[in-house]
Amino acid sequence: MKSPSVYCIFNISGRIGGCAKGKGGSMHMYAKNFYGGNGIVGAQVPLGAGIALACKYFGKDEICVTLYGDGAANQGQIFETFNMAALWKLPCIFICENNRYGMGTSVERAAASTDYYKRGDFIPGLRVDGMDVLAVREATKFAADHCRGGKGPIVMELQTYRYHGHSMSDPGISYRTREEIQEVRSKSDPITLLKDRMVNNNLASVEELKEIDVEVRKQIEDAAQFATTDPEPPLEELGNYIYTKEPPFEVRGPNQWIRYKSVG
């Protein structure tokens, strides 16, 4: 049984052992009860409402947690989803990860109002310190109880920060200073804050935490080494798994000898 970190690196590296069989990247991570991301900005929000509708329809005591960023928060489909979710009282927690920057743009330059937790209008909202693990845990418990109580959806804005660029093409320092990044890292880093809290409350020793750091780094290195030795998918695999119950069909490109004719 491979660890989740191995499957993650498999998928991002485009290897056949990944959950998307090498045909997707970070936006195509799927597992049981985890429906991954989406190639269209903000499109995971209406999909999340659909999953919440299924939870309610089948009478299960389940909820859907739907995450999106501050950049996606301005997409029209999100507001349409809020309306439907509130109207049908869907058990959905809409979580806006506000890390202060979209794709190279600060929230102040992209949104007339940065109070993302109020965006639901008729849906109640919470603003939470996303850099505090325990605060996020307690807020999530509250939100889950709200949804399971038949009160409908709730919006959570997690105020956090990303240290690096948005993607490979974004160095992350053309629209902010290195000093700003360092200040946040030194004062509000969630891992450092949790470590300090655990040590100060005698829940763990510095030595124990250092051992955990070493073990985690080794797991990541082993996963990366294992994943990068996995083969890439062959071209003939391109038509597989497009429809779950249908056999693979020919797709233009894998076989150069096949000639296609237009129909209609």
Side-chain angles (χ1 to χ4, degrees):
M1 178 68 182
K2 302 181 183 69
S3 69
S5 57
V6 173
Y7 280 118
C8 178
I9 299 174
F10 267 140
N11 214 55
I12 294 174
S13 302
R15 306 291 173 160
I16 198 169
C19 58
K21 309 298 181 185
K23 300 175 193 154
S26 60
M27 291 185 178
H28 302 86
M29 300 293 296
Y30 298 96
K32 183 177 176 58
N33 294 330
F34 181 77
Y35 295 86
N38 199 287
I40 299 175
V41 176
Q44 71 273 21
V45 179
L47 291 177
I51 294 170
L53 175 61
C55 294
K56 183 174 182 178
Y57 181 83
F58 289 112
K60 298 180 179 180
D61 188 29
E62 295 177 339
I63 61 175
C64 179
V65 179
T66 304
L67 295 93
Y68 58 99
D70 51 271
N74 299 318
Q75 292 290 314
Q77 59 195 320
I78 293 180
F79 297 93
E80 295 175 32
T81 303
F82 283 170
N83 176 67
M84 187 174 293
L87 190 64
W88 293 348
K89 293 189 180 301
L90 300 182
C92 190
I93 304 176
F94 297 104
I95 297 183
C96 177
E97 297 176 83
N98 178 8
N99 60 26
R100 294 171 50 181
Y101 295 95
M103 182 64 172
T105 308
S106 66
V107 293
E108 291 81 9
R109 294 183 60 196
S113 171
T114 57
D115 290 335
Y116 297 103
Y117 71 106
K118 296 180 180 179
R119 292 285 188 93
D121 192 10
F122 31 75
I123 300 176
L126 302 172
R127 173 174 274 171
V128 186
D129 181 0
M131 305 294 261
D132 186 333
V133 175
L134 299 182
V136 173
R137 182 187 68 174
E138 294 305 310
T140 305
K141 282 182 179 179
F142 176 87
D145 289 341
H146 174 92
C147 290
R148 285 198 170 98
K151 299 177 182 177
I154 191 168
V155 177
M156 284 175 58
E157 176 190 347
L158 302 186
Q159 292 190 315
T160 181
Y161 193 85
R162 62 171 169 81
Y163 298 137
H164 305 286
H166 184 277
S167 64
M168 292 287 289
S169 60
D170 174 20
I173 54 173
S174 58
Y175 44 86
R176 57 183 177 173
T177 64
R178 294 182 187 273
E179 290 73 24
E180 177 187 301
I181 301 171
Q182 186 55 41
E183 181 180 11
V184 175
R185 190 189 289 270
S186 63
K187 293 181 179 180
S188 306
D189 184 80
I191 297 177
T192 302
L193 289 176
L194 183 60
K195 282 182 176 179
D196 291 344
R197 186 177 290 173
M198 292 177 69
V199 171
N200 293 336
N201 288 278
N202 297 318
L203 298 174
S205 66
V206 174
E207 291 71 24
E208 287 174 324
L209 295 176
K210 284 183 178 179
E211 290 177 4
I212 293 174
D213 281 342
V214 171
E215 177 60 28
V216 169
R217 290 179 185 277
K218 184 178 185 305
Q219 286 184 15
I220 294 172
E221 290 172 1
D222 291 346
Q225 177 64 30
F226 188 47
T228 51
T229 58
D230 196 53
E232 295 180 354
L235 280 175
E236 54 267 23
E237 283 283 317
L238 195 60
N240 294 351
Y241 308 107
I242 294 178
Y243 296 102
T244 57
K245 296 181 180 179
E246 297 293 335
F249 55 86
E250 296 292 346
V251 177
R252 185 186 299 275
N255 190 331
Q256 60 179 324
W257 307 111
I258 294 178
R259 294 183 177 275
Y260 292 89
K261 296 179 180 180
S262 58
V263 259

